[in-house]
Amino acid sequence: MKQDINNTTDIKKVVDQFYAKVKSDETIRHFFNNMREEHWQKHLLVMYAFWENVLFHTGEYNGNPLETHRRIHQQNPVGFVHFHRWLSLFTATVDESFAGKNADKMKEHARGIAAVMQQKI
Ligand code: HEM
């Protein structure tokens, strides 16, 4: 039986496996292609902190995802097809390894943010 997402190690696993899929995905990999290794490493730390805050209320994330994605969208339009692909890769990644309350929360949160971003970017 699959375990729930219970700690930072589990979150890292989700994020790392998600981006492994993103990097080889023809629909959305181009958004991430121009990130150098150093930028990637920083981005990963931001994403771990973001999800830790969502699931465990650490208070350690203080970014502004809407602003970040507006900037991305201005440089490189992000449309329905891209959000749809992002979400299906994310959901598949969580489901591959985890099941439970936190796993559901993570997927729901991603869906909610994607919906808001699509309206507001
Ligand atoms: C097609 C859809 C999406 C694309 C192409 C995309 C792309 C990106 C990229 C390239 C960055 C790095 C920005 C940088 O460091 O310069 C980023 C950051 C981020 N993304 Fe997305 N993203 C998408 C959807 C989502 C969704 C649905 C979520 C919901 C959880 C999300 C959450 C975040 C967060 C939290 C950051 C860090 C923001 C910050 O504090 O700077 N993204 N995204």
Side-chain angles (χ1 to χ4, degrees):
M1 207 179 111
K2 286 176 198 163
Q3 300 286 312
D4 202 0
I5 297 166
N6 290 318
N7 50 45
T8 302
T9 308
D10 294 342
I11 285 178
K12 285 185 177 166
K13 185 171 172 182
V14 171
V15 172
D16 292 352
Q17 290 183 347
F18 169 65
Y19 280 125
K21 291 193 206 309
V22 167
K23 279 181 171 180
S24 58
D25 185 83
E26 289 192 4
T27 309
I28 60 170
R29 69 175 173 213
H30 62 283
F31 293 103
F32 300 86
N33 272 352
N34 57 358
M35 280 165 68
R36 294 225 188 105
E37 189 51 34
E38 207 185 292
H39 189 167
W40 258 114
Q41 292 313 318
K42 280 192 188 146
H43 176 58
L44 289 176
L45 295 178
V46 171
M47 295 312 288
Y48 303 151
F50 171 79
W51 287 114
E52 277 164 2
N53 191 44
V54 170
L55 294 186
F56 310 130
H57 312 288
T58 53
E60 297 284 322
Y61 174 76
N62 53 15
N64 184 337
L66 194 55
E67 275 312 308
T68 302
H69 292 84
R70 274 195 181 126
R71 180 174 46 76
I72 294 163
H73 181 60
Q74 277 160 13
Q75 289 162 1
N76 211 339
V78 193
F80 172 80
V81 170
H82 306 116
F83 277 109
H84 190 266
R85 189 73 190 141
W86 191 106
L87 273 179
S88 71
L89 292 179
F90 192 79
T91 303
T93 308
V94 173
D95 289 342
E96 256 164 39
S97 305
F98 298 99
K101 254 172 76 176
N102 284 340
D104 289 343
K105 192 171 174 186
M106 211 168 171
K107 289 182 285 181
E108 273 157 29
H109 204 83
R111 260 196 302 275
I113 292 195
V116 172
M117 277 179 187
Q118 280 183 86
Q119 296 281 323
K120 299 204 168 172
I121 60 173

